[in-house]
Amino acid sequence: MAELLFITPQEMTQTTIIGGNVDVDKYTMCILNTQIRIIEPLLGSELYDKIKADLVGAGLSGLYLTLFDEFVKPITKYESCADYIAISPYMLNNGGLFKSSPDNAEVVTKTEADGLSERYSSIAQTYVNRFDKWIGLNKLNIAEYKTSQDEVNAQNVNVNNGWYF
């Protein structure tokens, strides 16, 4: 069974630098990794699992819908884009690891790609910071948000290691 994605490929291509002709399989893993690496620790496993179950089932409503639309989706989208920018030039196959170089185009330097990736991470971090303020005001109304639980505890998350504004 396919893993549930919090954002669609169309949302990625319409609101980020990722072009519509990029193979979805190339960045789907970035979305899934962001969900596990950033979103689950941000929400904690119980809230993360509830959101996934409600998305598949009856749908989200109230504070859960607000949380998903205003924080989970933007963080997932922008951090997934940052991850994809960092790995997009590379392909590993039976012949080894390759860096693609399209005809009639100039491949950007690693420094340029890292700067662009950091820019998208800083956008994601902005939404993480907003989430921290929002959850502080609403955590009593969201029973599944717990900083101590059997699986992944809800915690403060920093999506990038450098400066962000």
Side-chain angles (χ1 to χ4, degrees), residues 120-130 157-160 164:
Y120 274 98
S121 277
S122 73
I123 295 169
Q125 186 65 48
T126 298
Y127 284 96
V128 168
N129 295 345
R130 290 177 183 175
V157 172
N158 185 6
V159 298
N160 56 358
Y164 60 91

Side-chain angles (χ1 to χ4, degrees), residues 1 11 13 23 40 45 56 67 74 79 94 110 113 122-123 125 131 137 149 154 158-159 165:
M1 185 169 138
E11 290 170 304
T13 59
D23 185 357
E40 187 174 14
S45 291
V56 172
L67 168 66
E79 188 57 23
N94 291 336
K110 179 160 177 21
S122 73
I123 295 169
Q125 186 65 48
F131 166 80
L137 297 171
Q149 54 193 296
N158 185 6
V159 298
F165 301 93

Side-chain angles (χ1 to χ4, degrees), residues 83-116:
D83 284 350
Y84 184 65
I85 290 167
I87 65 165
S88 63
Y90 305 101
M91 173 62 76
L92 180 62
N93 62 29
N94 291 336
L97 181 62
F98 297 93
K99 184 174 181 180
S100 62
S101 178
D103 295 335
N104 299 322
E106 179 182 341
V107 177
V108 298
T109 66
K110 179 160 177 21
T111 303
E112 290 173 310
D114 288 347
L116 187 56

Side-chain angles (χ1 to χ4, degrees), residues 130-144:
R130 290 177 183 175
F131 166 80
D132 288 341
K133 291 177 185 175
W134 183 87
I135 199 67
L137 297 171
N138 293 288
K139 64 184 170 188
L140 296 177
N141 298 315
I142 300 177
E144 299 82 4

Side-chain angles (χ1 to χ4, degrees), residues 10-152:
Q10 184 177 8
E11 290 170 304
M12 288 290 289
T13 59
Q14 287 182 342
T15 57
T16 69
I17 198 169
I18 297 175
N21 63 342
V22 175
D23 185 357
V24 175
D25 291 340
K26 299 282 188 189
Y27 59 85
T28 298
M29 68 173 178
C30 295
I31 297 170
L32 293 172
N33 288 339
T34 297
Q35 288 177 200
I36 297 301
R37 188 176 55 87
I38 303 295
I39 301 300
E40 187 174 14
L42 187 68
L43 303 178
S45 291
E46 289 184 32
L47 182 52
Y48 179 82
D49 291 343
K50 178 190 178 15
I51 287 173
K52 283 177 62 174
D54 286 358
L55 285 170
V56 172
L60 296 168
S61 62
L63 288 175
Y64 298 99
L65 181 60
T66 301
L67 168 66
F68 186 73
D69 285 344
E70 293 184 18
F71 305 104
V72 171
K73 288 181 79 148
I75 294 166
T76 303
K77 175 177 53 176
Y78 293 120
E79 188 57 23
S80 298
C81 182
D83 284 350
Y84 184 65
I85 290 167
I87 65 165
S88 63
Y90 305 101
M91 173 62 76
L92 180 62
N93 62 29
N94 291 336
L97 181 62
F98 297 93
K99 184 174 181 180
S100 62
S101 178
D103 295 335
N104 299 322
E106 179 182 341
V107 177
V108 298
T109 66
K110 179 160 177 21
T111 303
E112 290 173 310
D114 288 347
L116 187 56
S117 178
E118 287 174 16
R119 181 172 176 88
Y120 274 98
S121 277
S122 73
I123 295 169
Q125 186 65 48
T126 298
Y127 284 96
V128 168
N129 295 345
R130 290 177 183 175
F131 166 80
D132 288 341
K133 291 177 185 175
W134 183 87
I135 199 67
L137 297 171
N138 293 288
K139 64 184 170 188
L140 296 177
N141 298 315
I142 300 177
E144 299 82 4
Y145 181 79
K146 298 175 184 170
T147 56
S148 180
Q149 54 193 296
D150 289 338
E151 292 184 34
V152 178

